[in-house]
Amino acid sequence: MTTQVPRFPLRIAAAAGLLVATMIAVTVTDGSAASAAQAPVGLGTAASFAVLAGSTVTNTGPSVISGDVGVSPGTAITGFPPGIVVNGTIHAADAVAADAQSDTTTAYNDAAGRTPVTTVTGDLGGRTLVAGVYSGGALGLTGTVTLNAQGDPNAVFIFQAASTLITSSASVVALEGDASACNVFWQVGSSATLGTASDFVGTILALTSISATTGTTVAGRLLARNGAVTLDTNTITAPICGTPPPTTTTTVPATTTVPATTIPVSPTTTPVSPTTSPGATTGSSSTTTAAGASTPTATGGAGGGGATLGGGGATVTKTGPLASTGTNAKAALTAALLAIGLGGMVLLASRRFRRRIT
């Protein structure tokens, strides 16, 4: 009879291999998608500015600006006071403002060229958007738009408005899922207007001008390349954004091999006292019994057996190679039982294997 190995386990192994290969492919695909995530728009020296204009900066009312305020190549900055600048400096047509304007132009072009884009039309209000690049003609906001980073604090949101950005009164840009104001950018092809009491988030990079009307709050920056920035009782806070932490590589320490410790074990020696027959030498002698009678003792040669007769009974003492201790006898018995048990297990396994393959 021809013995055949069952094919079913082989089929299971092949299926398992295919499943593992599929899982690896999915993992690689997910990793590639993650690596395509947008990087923040680099602002360079403009990052320290809360307000930067090309022609003039004009303020009305007690605005509070946290960050630098600057203008270049224009020279006019008015309305401070009553407006105040905290955590920053006013730069009117100096080298710092000029460098910031140059970096603003670079950032504007960077944001305008980001792809791939999701086209948005109409009003952004009422929508919840995840990280990505959103592009439209004129962007508007009525009500609330929610930017959800889905638990990723480095998620980047870029909005590209070909013409204008206009928010209505009391409109809100809300952040959730660990979204950060540091990573929200609005590139505007002409001018931006933030409606009364708007709660706005992100950095506006406008080609022309930016107007923040009464009571508008901005967690971000108002950076206008060529025109003016107009303020009216606003609170504008430039976010402090650190450099994204580098990828941390965890090094697994090498396995430490502990040298084996040898514990000296002194073998237990059971002293065996050989029983010496009174007749160790050939000859005859007399042994006095407990009754005081003299009893003849027959003795044999060395290593033989001797018999002592006396006291109405006979005591036989075995000597020589046939004598063994109790410990050795137990060890021999244990070894024999183990050998029998292992032999039975091997026999049982052999029978089961034969039944399976026949």
PDB file of all heavy atoms in Angstrom, residues 133-147:
ATOM      1  N   VAL A 133      -5.311  69.774   1.111  1.00  0.00           N
ATOM      2  CA  VAL A 133      -5.257  71.042   0.370  1.00  0.00           C
ATOM      3  C   VAL A 133      -6.618  71.257  -0.283  1.00  0.00           C
ATOM      4  O   VAL A 133      -7.101  70.399  -1.028  1.00  0.00           O
ATOM      5  CB  VAL A 133      -4.148  71.009  -0.701  1.00  0.00           C
ATOM      6  CG1 VAL A 133      -4.089  72.347  -1.448  1.00  0.00           C
ATOM      7  CG2 VAL A 133      -2.796  70.685  -0.068  1.00  0.00           C
ATOM      8  N   TYR A 134      -7.226  72.409  -0.011  1.00  0.00           N
ATOM      9  CA  TYR A 134      -8.556  72.734  -0.533  1.00  0.00           C
ATOM     10  C   TYR A 134      -8.446  73.981  -1.402  1.00  0.00           C
ATOM     11  O   TYR A 134      -7.859  74.983  -0.992  1.00  0.00           O
ATOM     12  CB  TYR A 134      -9.542  72.965   0.615  1.00  0.00           C
ATOM     13  CG  TYR A 134      -9.715  71.730   1.475  1.00  0.00           C
ATOM     14  CD1 TYR A 134      -8.895  71.503   2.575  1.00  0.00           C
ATOM     15  CD2 TYR A 134     -10.696  70.777   1.164  1.00  0.00           C
ATOM     16  CE1 TYR A 134      -9.043  70.359   3.354  1.00  0.00           C
ATOM     17  CE2 TYR A 134     -10.852  69.637   1.940  1.00  0.00           C
ATOM     18  CZ  TYR A 134     -10.017  69.431   3.028  1.00  0.00           C
ATOM     19  OH  TYR A 134     -10.164  68.290   3.792  1.00  0.00           O
ATOM     20  N   SER A 135      -9.014  73.887  -2.594  1.00  0.00           N
ATOM     21  CA  SER A 135      -8.853  74.970  -3.561  1.00  0.00           C
ATOM     22  C   SER A 135     -10.208  75.394  -4.115  1.00  0.00           C
ATOM     23  O   SER A 135     -11.085  74.559  -4.377  1.00  0.00           O
ATOM     24  CB  SER A 135      -7.947  74.520  -4.708  1.00  0.00           C
ATOM     25  OG  SER A 135      -7.754  75.555  -5.644  1.00  0.00           O
ATOM     26  N   GLY A 136     -10.367  76.710  -4.284  1.00  0.00           N
ATOM     27  CA  GLY A 136     -11.601  77.240  -4.857  1.00  0.00           C
ATOM     28  C   GLY A 136     -11.369  78.616  -5.435  1.00  0.00           C
ATOM     29  O   GLY A 136     -10.265  79.170  -5.355  1.00  0.00           O
ATOM     30  N   GLY A 137     -12.405  79.211  -6.002  1.00  0.00           N
ATOM     31  CA  GLY A 137     -12.299  80.554  -6.564  1.00  0.00           C
ATOM     32  C   GLY A 137     -12.304  81.575  -5.450  1.00  0.00           C
ATOM     33  O   GLY A 137     -11.262  81.943  -4.903  1.00  0.00           O
ATOM     34  N   ALA A 138     -13.516  82.003  -5.079  1.00  0.00           N
ATOM     35  CA  ALA A 138     -13.688  82.903  -3.943  1.00  0.00           C
ATOM     36  C   ALA A 138     -14.180  82.050  -2.779  1.00  0.00           C
ATOM     37  O   ALA A 138     -15.219  81.399  -2.872  1.00  0.00           O
ATOM     38  CB  ALA A 138     -14.684  84.000  -4.284  1.00  0.00           C
ATOM     39  N   LEU A 139     -13.465  82.060  -1.679  1.00  0.00           N
ATOM     40  CA  LEU A 139     -13.866  81.274  -0.514  1.00  0.00           C
ATOM     41  C   LEU A 139     -14.618  82.152   0.465  1.00  0.00           C
ATOM     42  O   LEU A 139     -14.232  83.291   0.736  1.00  0.00           O
ATOM     43  CB  LEU A 139     -12.636  80.669   0.173  1.00  0.00           C
ATOM     44  CG  LEU A 139     -11.834  79.639  -0.629  1.00  0.00           C
ATOM     45  CD1 LEU A 139     -10.670  79.117   0.209  1.00  0.00           C
ATOM     46  CD2 LEU A 139     -12.721  78.488  -1.079  1.00  0.00           C
ATOM     47  N   GLY A 140     -15.708  81.604   0.989  1.00  0.00           N
ATOM     48  CA  GLY A 140     -16.502  82.319   1.977  1.00  0.00           C
ATOM     49  C   GLY A 140     -16.763  81.430   3.183  1.00  0.00           C
ATOM     50  O   GLY A 140     -16.689  80.202   3.104  1.00  0.00           O
ATOM     51  N   LEU A 141     -17.076  82.052   4.328  1.00  0.00           N
ATOM     52  CA  LEU A 141     -17.390  81.302   5.534  1.00  0.00           C
ATOM     53  C   LEU A 141     -18.534  81.968   6.281  1.00  0.00           C
ATOM     54  O   LEU A 141     -18.411  83.118   6.726  1.00  0.00           O
ATOM     55  CB  LEU A 141     -16.152  81.203   6.447  1.00  0.00           C
ATOM     56  CG  LEU A 141     -16.391  80.570   7.825  1.00  0.00           C
ATOM     57  CD1 LEU A 141     -16.921  79.149   7.685  1.00  0.00           C
ATOM     58  CD2 LEU A 141     -15.117  80.599   8.654  1.00  0.00           C
ATOM     59  N   THR A 142     -19.629  81.244   6.399  1.00  0.00           N
ATOM     60  CA  THR A 142     -20.761  81.660   7.214  1.00  0.00           C
ATOM     61  C   THR A 142     -21.003  80.553   8.232  1.00  0.00           C
ATOM     62  O   THR A 142     -21.124  79.385   7.863  1.00  0.00           O
ATOM     63  CB  THR A 142     -22.023  81.861   6.363  1.00  0.00           C
ATOM     64  OG1 THR A 142     -21.751  82.841   5.355  1.00  0.00           O
ATOM     65  CG2 THR A 142     -23.193  82.321   7.211  1.00  0.00           C
ATOM     66  N   GLY A 143     -21.086  80.929   9.506  1.00  0.00           N
ATOM     67  CA  GLY A 143     -21.243  79.882  10.513  1.00  0.00           C
ATOM     68  C   GLY A 143     -19.882  79.299  10.893  1.00  0.00           C
ATOM     69  O   GLY A 143     -18.896  80.020  11.035  1.00  0.00           O
ATOM     70  N   THR A 144     -19.826  77.972  11.010  1.00  0.00           N
ATOM     71  CA  THR A 144     -18.619  77.311  11.517  1.00  0.00           C
ATOM     72  C   THR A 144     -18.099  76.275  10.539  1.00  0.00           C
ATOM     73  O   THR A 144     -18.862  75.471  10.000  1.00  0.00           O
ATOM     74  CB  THR A 144     -18.917  76.614  12.866  1.00  0.00           C
ATOM     75  OG1 THR A 144     -19.356  77.582  13.815  1.00  0.00           O
ATOM     76  CG2 THR A 144     -17.676  75.904  13.395  1.00  0.00           C
ATOM     77  N   VAL A 145     -16.798  76.310  10.299  1.00  0.00           N
ATOM     78  CA  VAL A 145     -16.123  75.236   9.588  1.00  0.00           C
ATOM     79  C   VAL A 145     -15.207  74.554  10.607  1.00  0.00           C
ATOM     80  O   VAL A 145     -14.504  75.224  11.370  1.00  0.00           O
ATOM     81  CB  VAL A 145     -15.321  75.736   8.373  1.00  0.00           C
ATOM     82  CG1 VAL A 145     -14.229  76.709   8.783  1.00  0.00           C
ATOM     83  CG2 VAL A 145     -14.725  74.550   7.617  1.00  0.00           C
ATOM     84  N   THR A 146     -15.247  73.234  10.648  1.00  0.00           N
ATOM     85  CA  THR A 146     -14.467  72.474  11.622  1.00  0.00           C
ATOM     86  C   THR A 146     -13.313  71.777  10.915  1.00  0.00           C
ATOM     87  O   THR A 146     -13.512  71.085   9.914  1.00  0.00           O
ATOM     88  CB  THR A 146     -15.346  71.432  12.332  1.00  0.00           C
ATOM     89  OG1 THR A 146     -16.425  72.109  12.989  1.00  0.00           O
ATOM     90  CG2 THR A 146     -14.534  70.648  13.360  1.00  0.00           C
ATOM     91  N   LEU A 147     -12.124  71.966  11.438  1.00  0.00           N
ATOM     92  CA  LEU A 147     -10.931  71.324  10.904  1.00  0.00           C
ATOM     93  C   LEU A 147     -10.537  70.210  11.875  1.00  0.00           C
ATOM     94  O   LEU A 147     -10.149  70.482  13.019  1.00  0.00           O
ATOM     95  CB  LEU A 147      -9.800  72.333  10.744  1.00  0.00           C
ATOM     96  CG  LEU A 147     -10.140  73.605   9.949  1.00  0.00           C
ATOM     97  CD1 LEU A 147      -8.897  74.492   9.807  1.00  0.00           C
ATOM     98  CD2 LEU A 147     -10.736  73.266   8.593  1.00  0.00           C
TER      99      LEU A 147
END
